[in-house]
Amino acid sequence: MNKIEKWSTEEEKMIYSSQIKREELERMISMDQKRRVIYMYFREGKSQREISRIMGINRKTVGKYIKEYEEAFEGYKNSEGIDEDLVEKIAGKPKYNTSNRKPRKVTEALVERIQELIKANEIKRKKGLRKQLMPVSQMYEIIRDEGYEISVGTIYNLVRKLNDKKTKEAYIKQRYSPGDIVEFDWGEIKLEIDGVMKNIQAAVFTFAYSNYRYAYLYEKQNMESFIDSHIRFFEHVEGINKTTVYDNMKVAVKKFVGRNGREITEDLMKLSMYYKFDIRFCNVRKPNEKGHVEKSVNVIKQRVFSIKYKFSDLKEANEFLKTRLKYINENIKSNTIQLFEEEKKYLAEKPPKYEYSVIKEVYVDKFSTITVNNCRYSVPVEYIDKWLKVKLYPEKIIIYDEKPIVIHERVYGIDIWKIKIEHYIPILKKKPGALHNSLAMHQAPRELKNIYKEYFTTNPKDFIMLLEYIQKRNLEIKQIKKIIEKLEIITSNITFAEIKIINENTSNELKIKYNGTIEEYSRKQLYRLNEMIQ
């Protein structure tokens, strides 16, 4: 390949990459547009004509968004069970034709690039390199060489706008309407879970009008936890507020656009459209703009987990938090519950529960495990070397082929394994000697491990057959323990064959071949006599 051909190929790649970024930006803008139309029409009661005038978009486009939403939502309400396709139609991105759209010269990408150059100047200024600041004329040359068709005057105007000095900050006392504003924030709390100190994340909601508080604990500040916390909050308060206020957290803001613009994450946008609430962001480093929830985070730290911080698991910690928040809402301020009851009258009707999970494709390795966020989960060995799908929830994961294969409790950390021993029965039958020191045996239920240690350490083949029998018959370990207790009366040699006979003998009559001592035989006879008397 000669130099000209290579240059041409790289140029095509650059143009293609630029086009992909532009299309992605347009898609997110249109999705936000749809979100605002849904909110104005259903929550603010504005007409389609009024929305068209306010937003500066065609009235037919407004009507199209509303019609699609109503039809999809009606289908969702009438559907049986979870229909993720209808949820996507309700809260998914709008489809439109952009083939005839002409690009504007001043684009978000251009503004973002100029901001980067201005930021580079600010870094130099802090380092004392004032004489090495980049002039606007140099910025123009860089912009032009990167392929933007723009005049130097436009660049000067943009730089001047972006460099406007901040006005002095002043605080204004706010007055809130019932059912209007809810503030959201994360709070980090140190708790001892099952003997290990962890940084646990509290998702905290606070009504601005009544100061009513709600919170739920998670292992991580990921998207699954963020969306799940909102679903739990709406189910708890049994309604939907008008506006939710956030700071510039990663799960809410995909990236900044221009000086004050923000590109909302797709998952939050879908949630907002489904539940029909508006979104508002605080200014950067302005926690006072959501002071209610900031205070709530401190209240949870000081009035909840200062009393108790050791728990067996996160479920117990959440139950304790629930109890304490009920007390706090009812007692810290005398009128909180009264104001909240008034507030509930202004909440919009709650739709059917939103179905949300993060879906990933995963590969089953030679250990018959899949890997999710540095943690490994077992699947039956017949799926080795196959690709499966996994649905991620904050507290569990569901692994699918065409239908659910297994549900695991979700774990967080690095190189943590979650193993179910029944997944490895076909391999253990071929390699029974591997059972004793296997991770599968180590993570087996405690009662099952006790049965193995007490009766089968010298006969692993029998134990593996017992495992297979339990799985096929869907038996509980407690049931096996009761059978073993009966067998212990008449013999000290517990085998799988004897357990199977007792379990399948509906007449309760023991049919076990005698091969023990006279004492054991006598005990056997007494047991039979006792059975007959009963």
Side-chain angles (χ1 to χ4, degrees):
M1 182 184 289
N2 59 40
K3 288 184 179 179
I4 295 174
E5 287 174 341
K6 185 179 180 182
W7 178 85
S8 176
T9 305
E10 289 175 354
E11 183 184 42
E12 285 173 3
K13 285 181 180 177
M14 184 179 71
I15 291 168
Y16 177 73
S17 177
S18 255
Q19 183 182 351
I20 293 295
K21 287 180 181 177
R22 186 166 60 252
E23 287 174 356
E24 174 69 13
L25 182 62
E26 287 177 345
R27 184 175 69 83
M28 294 306 295
I29 289 170
S30 67
M31 200 166 172
D32 189 45
Q33 190 181 72
K34 177 181 173 182
R35 177 187 70 80
R36 291 176 63 199
V37 167
I38 297 296
Y39 178 79
M40 286 184 186
Y41 184 78
F42 288 101
R43 295 302 303 273
E44 295 186 343
K46 289 184 169 56
S47 67
Q48 294 183 26
R49 186 187 298 275
E50 193 176 2
I51 294 169
S52 173
R53 179 177 55 78
I54 292 170
M55 296 187 62
I57 59 176
N58 192 296
R59 190 147 51 94
K60 289 182 180 178
T61 303
V62 174
K64 177 189 168 191
Y65 289 163
I66 292 168
K67 184 180 177 183
E68 286 177 353
Y69 187 92
E70 289 177 328
E71 288 175 354
F73 207 94
E74 191 62 34
Y76 183 70
K77 287 199 296 186
N78 296 331
S79 66
E80 295 181 2
I82 296 167
D83 192 334
E84 293 180 5
D85 291 335
L86 282 171
V87 171
E88 179 63 26
K89 286 181 182 178
I90 294 170
K93 57 183 178 292
K95 296 176 174 61
Y96 59 97
N97 184 5
T98 61
S99 57
N100 297 320
R101 181 177 295 174
K102 294 180 180 179
R104 294 177 296 177
K105 288 188 175 181
V106 179
T107 63
E108 276 79 2
L110 173 61
V111 172
E112 188 176 333
R113 184 69 180 107
I114 292 173
Q115 282 181 316
E116 289 173 0
L117 297 174
I118 291 172
K119 189 175 180 180
N121 271 351
E122 289 174 358
I123 293 170
K124 287 179 182 177
R125 189 179 286 110
K126 288 177 182 177
K127 291 182 177 180
L129 304 175
R130 293 182 177 273
K131 292 185 179 181
Q132 292 174 238
L133 297 180
M134 187 185 297
V136 178
S137 57
Q138 180 60 45
M139 292 183 187
Y140 168 69
E141 288 180 16
I142 292 171
I143 293 293
R144 184 194 59 195
D145 291 344
E146 289 178 354
Y148 291 94
E149 294 181 5
I150 200 84
S151 69
V152 66
T154 304
I155 297 296
Y156 268 98
N157 288 335
L158 278 173
V159 172
R160 186 165 55 250
K161 273 187 181 180
L162 296 173
N163 270 331
D164 279 344
K165 291 182 178 179
K166 295 180 182 178
T167 56
K168 289 184 179 179
E169 186 173 5
Y171 297 104
I172 301 172
K173 175 67 175 174
Q174 299 292 299
R175 183 177 179 181
Y176 301 98
S177 302
D180 187 6
I181 301 293
V182 167
E183 297 169 3
F184 173 87
D185 201 7
W186 290 107
E188 189 171 88
I189 301 165
K190 289 186 180 295
L191 299 179
E192 188 177 306
I193 305 295
D194 194 22
V196 179
M197 286 301 297
K198 291 185 175 182
N199 291 327
I200 300 299
Q201 311 303 320
V204 186
F205 297 82
T206 306
F207 280 91
Y209 177 76
S210 64
N211 209 40
Y212 183 86
R213 298 177 171 106
Y214 173 84
Y216 199 82
L217 302 176
Y218 296 92
E219 290 269 5
K220 297 289 182 183
Q221 289 186 21
N222 53 22
M223 187 61 77
E224 303 96 282
S225 302
F226 179 66
I227 301 297
D228 181 76
S229 68
H230 284 70
I231 296 168
R232 288 178 182 274
F233 170 69
F234 293 137
E235 292 292 317
H236 174 75
V237 300
E238 299 178 333
I240 314 298
N241 54 287
K242 283 188 176 180
T243 305
T244 306
V245 180
Y246 306 91
D247 62 18
N248 299 285
M249 57 190 68
K250 289 182 180 179
V251 285
V253 179
K254 186 176 181 181
K255 66 179 180 180
F256 287 90
V257 181
R259 187 176 182 181
N260 296 312
R262 295 165 181 84
E263 187 178 316
I264 302 171
T265 55
E266 188 170 334
D267 290 303
L268 176 55
M269 205 175 289
K270 286 182 178 181
L271 186 79
S272 167
M273 279 192 281
Y274 183 83
Y275 283 112
K276 299 189 284 290
F277 66 88
D278 199 10
I279 297 168
R280 200 179 80 206
F281 291 100
C282 299
N283 289 311
V284 179
R285 292 185 293 276
K286 293 287 184 276
N288 57 286
E289 294 180 4
K290 53 178 180 61
H292 297 86
V293 76
E294 291 280 339
K295 187 174 181 181
S296 293
V297 171
N298 289 329
V299 166
I300 289 171
K301 289 178 180 179
Q302 296 166 5
R303 291 182 174 265
V304 178
F305 295 112
S306 63
I307 300 172
K308 182 180 179 182
Y309 70 94
K310 295 181 180 181
F311 303 93
S312 59
D313 53 29
L314 207 57
K315 184 178 179 181
E316 185 191 350
N318 268 312
E319 285 298 319
F320 181 71
L321 173 61
K322 180 181 176 182
T323 303
R324 287 295 300 162
L325 279 178
K326 184 176 185 297
Y327 174 83
I328 289 166
N329 284 325
E330 291 174 354
N331 293 280
I332 283 189
K333 285 190 176 180
S334 58
N335 62 344
T336 294
I337 293 299
Q338 181 184 345
L339 291 175
F340 178 61
E341 289 301 322
E342 180 186 345
E343 196 151 39
K344 286 177 74 172
K345 299 173 185 176
Y346 293 87
L347 299 178
E349 184 181 354
K350 179 181 66 64
K353 191 175 180 180
Y354 187 66
E355 170 63 19
Y356 176 84
S357 63
V358 172
I359 300 175
K360 291 184 177 181
E361 285 195 352
V362 289
Y363 177 73
V364 183
D365 61 21
K366 64 181 180 181
F367 294 104
S368 196
T369 62
I370 59 105
T371 302
V372 176
N373 299 129
N374 300 313
C375 297
R376 302 173 82 162
Y377 303 85
S378 68
V379 297
V381 292
E382 59 262 33
Y383 293 99
I384 287 176
D385 204 29
K386 290 185 178 180
W387 285 89
L388 302 174
K389 286 187 177 180
V390 60
K391 282 188 174 182
L392 304 181
Y393 299 87
E395 296 166 346
K396 66 180 179 179
I397 72 164
I398 305 176
I399 305 170
Y400 286 81
D401 188 7
E402 292 180 357
K403 58 183 181 180
I405 298 168
V406 61
I407 299 173
H408 278 285
E409 175 192 355
R410 189 166 180 184
V411 291
Y412 296 86
I414 297 174
D415 199 30
I416 298 175
W417 294 55
K418 287 293 287 183
I419 301 296
K420 291 182 182 287
I421 194 169
E422 59 267 26
H423 292 163
Y424 297 89
I425 289 172
I427 293 177
L428 290 171
K429 285 171 76 175
K430 295 177 183 178
K431 303 177 181 180
L435 175 67
H436 188 75
N437 292 319
S438 68
L439 185 60
M441 189 70 246
H442 178 73
Q443 291 194 5
R446 185 179 298 172
E447 290 180 330
L448 193 63
K449 283 195 287 188
N450 290 340
I451 290 171
Y452 170 74
K453 288 177 182 177
E454 210 165 327
Y455 307 104
F456 293 97
T457 48
T458 58
N459 192 2
K461 283 186 179 179
D462 246 30
F463 184 74
I464 293 162
M465 286 192 288
L466 177 61
L467 286 177
E468 189 175 33
Y469 184 70
I470 291 170
Q471 185 186 27
K472 286 181 178 178
R473 296 300 182 93
N474 197 24
L475 300 174
E476 291 185 4
I477 300 173
K478 288 180 180 179
Q479 190 175 344
I480 299 299
K481 280 190 70 178
K482 286 182 180 178
I483 292 171
I484 290 174
E485 286 172 4
K486 283 185 177 182
L487 283 168
E488 280 186 312
I489 297 173
I490 57 172
T491 181
S492 59
N493 184 27
I494 308 295
T495 65
F496 164 64
E498 292 165 348
I499 293 172
K500 184 179 178 182
I501 288 170
I502 296 292
N503 186 61
E504 294 180 359
N505 189 355
T506 53
S507 66
N508 289 325
E509 183 181 347
L510 293 175
K511 298 176 182 178
I512 301 169
K513 185 178 178 181
Y514 171 72
N515 60 359
T517 64
I518 294 173
E519 182 184 352
E520 288 173 345
Y521 180 76
S522 302
R523 290 171 67 187
K524 176 181 174 182
Q525 294 292 81
L526 287 169
Y527 179 81
R528 283 181 172 175
L529 182 62
N530 183 55
E531 288 286 307
M532 290 172 63
I533 292 169
Q534 287 183 358

